[in-house]
Amino acid sequence: MGAKRFGGLAATILAMTLAVPAFASDAKDDPLAAYRSGEMYSGYVTGDPSSREIQDDDMMNPSFLWVDKAAELWTTADGTAGKSCADCHGDVESLKGAATKYPTTDAATGKFMNVELKINDCRERQMGAAPFKFESDELLGMTTLVKLQSRGMPMNIDITGPNEKWFKKGEEFYFTSRGQLDLACADCHITNEGMYMRAEKLSQGQPNGFPTYRMKWQKLGSLHRRMRGCNDNIRAEKLKGLGEDYLAVETYISWRASGLPVETPSVRK
Amino acid sequence: MSAKPRVRVPSTAKKGEVFEIKTVISHSMESGQRKAADGSPIPRKIIDKFVCTYNGKEVMTSQWYGAVSANPYLEFFCTATESGTLEFTWHDEGGETYTATADIKVT
Amino acid sequence: MSVLKETRLALSRRQLLTAAGTGLVAAAGLSVMTARPAAAAASAEEMIAKIAGGTPKEGLVKVDGPEIAENGNTVPVTIEVESPMTADNYVKSVHVFADGNPSPEVAAFTFTPQSGKAFAKFRIRLAKTQNVRAVAMMSDGSSYVGSKEIKVTIGGCGG
């Protein structure tokens, strides 16, 4: 399929890497082994110990202020149907593992959705409530609460069938240069990953910890907000949050993150 | 966002034991140094005082300035003397206060 | 002599050929370079002197944090003062300063013997690479200071 999880490697080698937990023999000696999968690693690995400490303790991680609020919303009836999330799903723990498969094609509607869009679809179709706004505290909190139920579980999205065209669209975006700096996502996050840009080490741009509490933002923020920031940095057009382009990119990078644990809510610089 | 403050205090402690307290509250801690997109200054709005009492007696108080990060986290210690209630109060410069309490059983 | 200063002198020398005033230009350049950081440090210095009622002794106060802050907006720091924290020998207060910030005051903590430990862990904003300093006032009236330099870099991808 010409898929490029990391630069220059053939899909067959890739498949092998995915099938066999890489560095398995070193896993015992590497305290960060849980944050790696083959050649892939999450931003946790390169984070300062003082930032990792915050992610590791749910009291120290301010994201849980949003999670607490979302847990209240979970059992609060809203919309014309007078239903809450709990009325259909019961305890939020029932969604354990669900987030590892997103983005995906929704069975009921045939629409392609990430977790945010699925939450809003539930609100509109099941509850008769208005969708939460992109980057609102409500949507960030509820997305985090849902993804939290899969924390520690490996990312595992399906890129076959109706999902394939989204994956391909995302892959194409990822390797297409844009903006005044004429950079593609892959230029930083694949080709030069691990190199320094001024004082900053370029990450692999992994999505498995989003929404993330970002120290720069001093708040919880979404993957699409981060993409808007990336595009702004390369002086390209900032695209619409929850729009088709970023949804496609999310699909591509979520596949690239296959095997990495869901870390939501992560803490990053 | 109007989330409740989060506090963690052990539910039990031995008399004389020094125990850890962790607190975090949702607040923008707007320093007054920032400008909005249109260039106008964003008015200062910070929590400037935090107080921890133990059965009504002050154990620790703290003064905060604009350099304290948003969604302030504070970790500190306290000695267990008797069973009762710890109360935490955050005072906003604007006059608003936010409180949280936690009970502790001392054996 | 710094490269910058030499450049300034060279420029002024060139200007000298048409206008007689070499010393003036060079001196003006230098005063701008040295005045700013000195002024900022002095204000934190003054605040510390005022609180301590003189110059605090070095020691007992430990300031901890990352060597290089991941982002200046949220820098985790820990302040701990060595003390038995008994009724007649305890840390009354700790005052934290960041002398490179537009306003050097960061936070102050008032402890009691019941605190058990003179300890605080929290997160602060640092405008640039600078010393974070903490001054502890002891129950016997003495004062101690500790500090840590925390580097704040300009990242490549703010996003």
Side-chain angles (χ1 to χ4, degrees), chain A residues 116-125 131-132 139 242:
Chain A
E116 282 94 331
L117 291 166
K118 178 65 186 169
I119 289 166
N120 275 339
D121 174 67
C122 260
R123 287 184 59 78
E124 288 184 277
R125 284 195 311 116
F132 291 136
L139 189 55
L242 301 178

Side-chain angles (χ1 to χ4, degrees), chain C residues 120-142:
Chain C
K121 187 172 201 163
F122 53 111
R123 297 165 197 154
I124 65 173
R125 296 166 172 151
L126 295 176
K128 59 181 181 185
T129 296
Q130 57 185 290
N131 285 311
V132 175
R133 287 193 278 178
V135 182
M137 295 303 297
M138 310 306 229
S139 54
D140 67 359
S142 63

Side-chain angles (χ1 to χ4, degrees), chain C residues 41-105:
Chain C
S43 64
E45 210 68 60
E46 280 162 18
M47 287 177 190
I48 291 170
K50 199 175 162 194
I51 288 164
T55 308
K57 283 175 265 195
E58 294 280 335
L60 301 185
V61 183
K62 196 177 150 205
V63 179
D64 205 7
E67 295 294 324
I68 302 171
E70 292 218 281
N71 189 284
N73 280 348
T74 311
V75 185
V77 291
T78 306
I79 310 290
E80 190 166 9
V81 188
E82 222 179 285
S83 164
M85 296 301 276
T86 55
D88 51 9
N89 184 3
Y90 67 98
V91 179
K92 286 177 89 166
S93 62
V94 176
H95 306 259
V96 186
F97 298 94
D99 54 23
N101 274 2
S103 168
E105 290 151 306

Side-chain angles (χ1 to χ4, degrees), chain A residues 110-178:
Chain A
K111 285 184 188 158
F112 193 74
M113 298 175 185
N114 63 2
V115 172
E116 282 94 331
L117 291 166
K118 178 65 186 169
I119 289 166
N120 275 339
D121 174 67
C122 260
R123 287 184 59 78
E124 288 184 277
R125 284 195 311 116
Q126 309 292 343
M127 298 165 72
F132 291 136
K133 287 200 173 70
F134 170 64
E135 219 57 16
S136 61
D137 287 325
E138 290 81 5
L139 189 55
L140 287 168
M142 193 57 79
T143 304
T144 304
L145 178 67
V146 169
K147 290 194 175 182
L148 178 64
Q149 307 311 312
S150 302
R151 189 162 63 171
M153 297 174 74
M155 299 275 286
N156 181 29
I157 75 158
D158 181 3
I159 56 163
T160 63
N163 293 357
E164 191 182 354
K165 66 170 192 261
W166 287 92
F167 171 79
K168 289 230 163 108
K169 181 180 162 77
E171 185 185 33
E172 195 193 333
F173 186 107
Y174 205 82
F175 287 89
T176 304
S177 301
R178 64 193 71 242

Side-chain angles (χ1 to χ4, degrees), chain A residues 53-54 57-62, chain B residues 22 73 75, chain C residues 121 123:
Chain A
E53 184 191 27
I54 300 173
D57 182 335
D58 293 351
M59 261 311 293
M60 294 182 80
N61 184 346
Chain B
K22 293 180 175 182
Y73 172 79
E75 184 178 321
Chain C
K121 187 172 201 163
R123 297 165 197 154

Side-chain angles (χ1 to χ4, degrees), chain A residues 5 18 36-37 40-42 100 153-157 204-209 250-262:
Chain A
R5 190 161 181 241
L18 282 175
R36 298 180 190 275
S37 171
M40 300 292 110
Y41 58 87
S42 93
T100 61
M153 297 174 74
M155 299 275 286
N156 181 29
I157 75 158
Q204 289 186 340
Q206 298 291 0
N208 57 310
E250 181 175 353
T251 310
Y252 176 71
I253 64 178
S254 295
W255 169 79
R256 193 173 172 237
S258 294
L260 289 178
V262 173

Side-chain angles (χ1 to χ4, degrees), chain B residues 45-92:
Chain B
K45 181 176 167 49
I46 66 167
I47 290 170
D48 64 350
K49 194 180 174 190
F50 169 82
V51 181
C52 167
T53 63
Y54 187 167
N55 285 343
K57 194 179 127 200
E58 275 186 16
V59 174
M60 204 281 286
T61 63
S62 180
Q63 203 75 37
W64 295 350
Y65 299 88
V68 170
S69 305
N71 303 312
Y73 172 79
L74 181 61
E75 184 178 321
F76 57 100
F77 287 86
C78 181
T79 309
T81 49
E82 57 192 357
S83 295
T85 306
L86 285 126
E87 189 173 74
F88 308 94
T89 314
W90 291 260
H91 298 261
D92 192 300

